[in-house]
Amino acid sequence: MNTGKKHRVVFQMNTENINEQNALMTYVTNVRNHWGEDVEIHVVVHGPAIGMVRKTKTMVGDALKQAMQKGVQFFACENTIRVRQIDKADIFEHVAYVPSGLIAIIEKQEEGWAYIKCNL
């Protein structure tokens, strides 16, 4: 159903579980395919999930790149990067940063974004 309304959805990913990361990629693709240009999708990646946006660690790199090409925006938590001593050069290009993953999610909810926590 296309109401002409711009939908805004923020997904939270904080697990290194490959099944959950694959599910996230399916979810964002399905939402994007359903609403097309009428949806803005942000994925906030923090904690153990940070590997999914790392060039040297990801297990979903191809799906991640495809989602970004379709307009899905990924955000890496700088707190996680700092604590885990990750070099930002290892983070995929076009992944943006937020100072705190949890704060970014809270702020999106306060702005009226739909919130989806990705867990199976």
Side-chain angles (χ1 to χ4, degrees), residues 80-116:
T80 300
I81 290 169
R82 185 183 66 255
V83 168
R84 295 175 183 250
Q85 300 178 343
I86 296 168
D87 185 345
K88 283 188 176 180
D90 190 29
I91 303 295
F92 281 106
E93 294 176 9
H94 307 296
V95 171
Y97 299 94
V98 291
S100 165
L102 291 177
I103 298 302
I105 292 165
I106 292 166
E107 290 174 348
K108 292 288 183 203
Q109 288 181 292
E110 290 173 345
E111 294 169 4
W113 288 59
Y115 163 73
I116 308 294

Coordinates of all heavy atoms in Angstrom, one line a residue, residues 80-116:
T80 N 31.8 2.0 20.2 CA 32.2 0.6 20.0 C 33.6 0.6 19.3 O 34.5 -0.2 19.6 CB 31.2 -0.1 19.1 OG1 30.0 -0.2 19.8 CG2 31.7 -1.6 18.8
I81 N 33.8 1.4 18.3 CA 35.0 1.5 17.5 C 36.2 1.9 18.4 O 37.3 1.3 18.4 CB 34.9 2.5 16.3 CG1 34.0 1.9 15.3 CG2 36.2 2.9 15.8 CD1 33.5 2.9 14.2
R82 N 35.9 2.9 19.3 CA 37.0 3.3 20.2 C 37.3 2.2 21.2 O 38.5 1.8 21.4 CB 36.6 4.6 21.0 CG 37.6 5.1 21.9 CD 37.2 6.3 22.7 NE 36.2 6.0 23.6 CZ 34.9 6.2 23.5 NH1 34.4 6.9 22.5 NH2 34.0 5.9 24.5
V83 N 36.3 1.6 21.9 CA 36.5 0.6 22.9 C 37.2 -0.6 22.3 O 38.1 -1.2 22.9 CB 35.2 0.2 23.6 CG1 35.4 -1.1 24.4 CG2 34.7 1.4 24.4
R84 N 36.9 -1.0 21.1 CA 37.4 -2.2 20.5 C 38.7 -1.9 19.7 O 39.3 -2.8 19.0 CB 36.4 -2.9 19.6 CG 35.3 -3.5 20.4 CD 34.2 -4.0 19.6 NE 33.1 -4.5 20.4 CZ 32.7 -5.8 20.6 NH1 33.4 -6.7 20.0 NH2 31.7 -6.1 21.4
Q85 N 39.1 -0.6 19.7 CA 40.3 -0.2 19.0 C 40.4 -0.6 17.6 O 41.3 -1.1 17.1 CB 41.6 -0.7 19.8 CG 41.6 -0.2 21.2 CD 42.8 -0.7 22.0 OE1 43.5 -1.7 21.6 NE2 43.1 -0.1 23.1
I86 N 39.3 -0.2 16.9 CA 39.2 -0.5 15.5 C 39.6 0.7 14.6 O 39.2 1.8 14.9 CB 37.7 -0.9 15.1 CG1 37.3 -2.2 15.9 CG2 37.5 -1.0 13.6 CD1 35.8 -2.4 15.8
D87 N 40.4 0.4 13.6 CA 40.8 1.5 12.7 C 39.7 1.8 11.8 O 39.1 0.9 11.1 CB 42.1 1.0 11.9 CG 42.7 2.1 11.0 OD1 42.0 3.1 10.8 OD2 43.8 1.8 10.6
K88 N 39.3 3.1 11.7 CA 38.2 3.4 10.8 C 38.5 3.1 9.3 O 37.5 3.0 8.5 CB 37.8 4.9 10.9 CG 37.0 5.2 12.2 CD 36.6 6.7 12.2 CE 35.7 6.9 13.4 NZ 35.2 8.3 13.4
A89 N 39.7 2.9 9.0 CA 40.1 2.5 7.6 C 39.5 1.1 7.3 O 39.4 0.8 6.1 CB 41.6 2.6 7.4
D90 N 39.2 0.4 8.3 CA 38.6 -1.0 8.1 C 37.1 -1.0 8.0 O 36.5 -2.0 7.7 CB 39.1 -1.9 9.3 CG 38.7 -3.3 9.1 OD1 38.7 -3.8 7.9 OD2 38.4 -4.0 10.1
I91 N 36.5 0.2 8.2 CA 35.0 0.3 8.0 C 34.7 0.6 6.6 O 35.4 1.4 5.9 CB 34.5 1.4 8.9 CG1 34.9 1.2 10.4 CG2 33.0 1.6 8.8 CD1 34.3 0.0 11.1
F92 N 33.7 -0.1 6.0 CA 33.3 0.2 4.7 C 33.1 1.6 4.4 O 32.5 2.4 5.2 CB 32.0 -0.6 4.3 CG 32.2 -2.1 4.1 CD1 31.8 -3.0 5.0 CD2 32.8 -2.5 2.9 CE1 32.0 -4.3 4.8 CE2 33.0 -3.9 2.7 CZ 32.6 -4.8 3.6
E93 N 33.5 2.0 3.2 CA 33.2 3.4 2.7 C 31.6 3.5 2.7 O 30.9 2.5 2.5 CB 33.7 3.6 1.3 CG 35.2 3.6 1.2 CD 35.7 3.7 -0.2 OE1 34.9 3.9 -1.1 OE2 36.9 3.4 -0.4
H94 N 31.2 4.7 2.8 CA 29.8 5.1 2.8 C 29.0 4.7 4.1 O 27.8 4.9 4.2 CB 29.0 4.6 1.6 CG 29.7 4.9 0.3 ND1 29.9 6.3 -0.1 CD2 30.4 4.2 -0.6 CE1 30.5 6.3 -1.3 NE2 30.8 5.1 -1.6
V95 N 29.7 4.0 5.0 CA 29.1 3.8 6.4 C 29.4 5.1 7.1 O 30.6 5.6 7.2 CB 29.8 2.6 7.1 CG1 29.3 2.5 8.5 CG2 29.4 1.3 6.4
A96 N 28.4 5.7 7.7 CA 28.5 6.9 8.5 C 28.8 6.5 10.0 O 28.7 5.3 10.3 CB 27.3 7.8 8.4
Y97 N 29.0 7.5 10.8 CA 29.3 7.3 12.2 C 28.3 8.1 13.1 O 27.9 9.1 12.7 CB 30.7 7.7 12.5 CG 31.7 6.9 11.7 CD1 32.2 7.4 10.5 CD2 32.2 5.7 12.1 CE1 33.1 6.7 9.7 CE2 33.1 5.0 11.4 CZ 33.6 5.5 10.2 OH 34.5 4.8 9.4
V98 N 28.0 7.5 14.2 CA 27.3 8.2 15.3 C 28.1 8.0 16.6 O 28.8 7.0 16.8 CB 25.9 7.6 15.5 CG1 25.0 7.9 14.3 CG2 25.9 6.1 15.8
P99 N 28.1 9.1 17.4 CA 28.9 9.0 18.6 C 28.6 7.8 19.5 O 29.4 7.1 20.1 CB 28.6 10.3 19.4 CG 28.2 11.2 18.3 CD 27.5 10.4 17.3
S100 N 27.2 7.5 19.6 CA 26.7 6.4 20.4 C 25.6 5.8 19.7 O 24.6 6.4 19.3 CB 26.3 6.9 21.8 OG 25.5 6.0 22.4
G101 N 25.7 4.5 19.5 CA 24.6 3.7 18.8 C 23.3 3.8 19.5 O 22.2 4.1 18.9
L102 N 23.3 3.6 20.8 CA 22.1 3.7 21.6 C 21.4 5.1 21.6 O 20.2 5.2 21.4 CB 22.3 3.2 23.0 CG 22.6 1.7 23.2 CD1 22.9 1.4 24.6 CD2 21.5 0.9 22.7
I103 N 22.3 6.1 21.8 CA 21.7 7.5 21.7 C 21.1 7.8 20.4 O 20.1 8.4 20.3 CB 22.8 8.5 22.1 CG1 23.4 8.2 23.5 CG2 22.3 9.9 21.9 CD1 22.3 8.3 24.6
A104 N 21.8 7.3 19.3 CA 21.3 7.6 18.0 C 19.9 6.9 17.8 O 19.0 7.5 17.2 CB 22.2 7.1 16.9
I105 N 19.7 5.7 18.3 CA 18.4 5.0 18.2 C 17.4 5.8 19.0 O 16.2 6.0 18.6 CB 18.6 3.6 18.6 CG1 19.4 2.8 17.6 CG2 17.2 2.9 18.8 CD1 19.9 1.5 18.1
I106 N 17.7 6.1 20.2 CA 16.8 6.9 21.1 C 16.3 8.2 20.4 O 15.1 8.5 20.4 CB 17.4 7.2 22.5 CG1 17.6 5.9 23.3 CG2 16.5 8.2 23.3 CD1 18.5 6.0 24.5
E107 N 17.3 8.9 19.8 CA 16.9 10.2 19.2 C 16.0 9.9 18.0 O 15.1 10.7 17.7 CB 18.2 10.9 18.8 CG 18.9 11.5 20.0 CD 20.3 12.1 19.7 OE1 20.8 11.9 18.6 OE2 20.8 12.8 20.6
K108 N 16.3 8.9 17.2 CA 15.4 8.5 16.1 C 14.0 8.2 16.6 O 13.0 8.7 16.0 CB 15.9 7.3 15.3 CG 17.2 7.6 14.5 CD 17.0 8.5 13.4 CE 18.3 8.7 12.6 NZ 18.3 9.9 11.8
Q109 N 13.9 7.5 17.6 CA 12.5 7.2 18.2 C 11.8 8.5 18.6 O 10.6 8.6 18.4 CB 12.7 6.2 19.3 CG 13.0 4.8 18.9 CD 13.1 3.8 20.0 OE1 14.0 3.9 20.9 NE2 12.1 2.9 20.1
E110 N 12.6 9.4 19.3 CA 12.0 10.6 19.7 C 11.5 11.5 18.5 O 10.6 12.2 18.6 CB 13.0 11.4 20.5 CG 13.3 10.8 21.9 CD 14.4 11.4 22.7 OE1 15.2 12.2 22.1 OE2 14.5 11.2 23.9
E111 N 12.2 11.3 17.4 CA 11.8 12.0 16.1 C 10.6 11.3 15.4 O 10.2 11.8 14.4 CB 13.0 12.1 15.2 CG 14.1 13.0 15.7 CD 15.4 12.9 14.9 OE1 15.4 12.2 13.9 OE2 16.4 13.5 15.3
G112 N 10.2 10.2 15.9 CA 9.0 9.5 15.3 C 9.4 8.3 14.4 O 8.5 7.8 13.7
W113 N 10.6 7.9 14.3 CA 11.0 6.8 13.5 C 10.5 5.5 14.0 O 10.5 5.3 15.3 CB 12.6 6.7 13.4 CG 13.2 7.8 12.6 CD1 13.2 9.2 12.8 CD2 14.0 7.6 11.4 NE1 13.9 9.8 11.9 CE2 14.5 8.9 11.0 CE3 14.4 6.5 10.7 CZ2 15.3 9.1 9.9 CZ3 15.3 6.7 9.6 CH2 15.7 8.0 9.2
A114 N 10.1 4.6 13.2 CA 9.7 3.3 13.6 C 11.0 2.5 13.9 O 12.1 2.7 13.3 CB 9.1 2.5 12.4
Y115 N 11.0 1.8 15.0 CA 12.2 1.1 15.5 C 12.1 -0.4 15.4 O 11.0 -1.0 15.8 CB 12.4 1.5 17.0 CG 13.3 0.6 17.8 CD1 14.7 0.6 17.5 CD2 12.9 -0.3 18.7 CE1 15.6 -0.2 18.2 CE2 13.7 -1.2 19.4 CZ 15.1 -1.1 19.2 OH 15.9 -1.9 19.8
I116 N 13.1 -1.1 14.9 CA 13.1 -2.5 14.7 C 14.4 -3.0 15.3 O 15.5 -2.6 14.9 CB 13.0 -3.0 13.3 CG1 11.8 -2.3 12.5 CG2 13.0 -4.5 13.2 CD1 10.5 -2.8 13.0

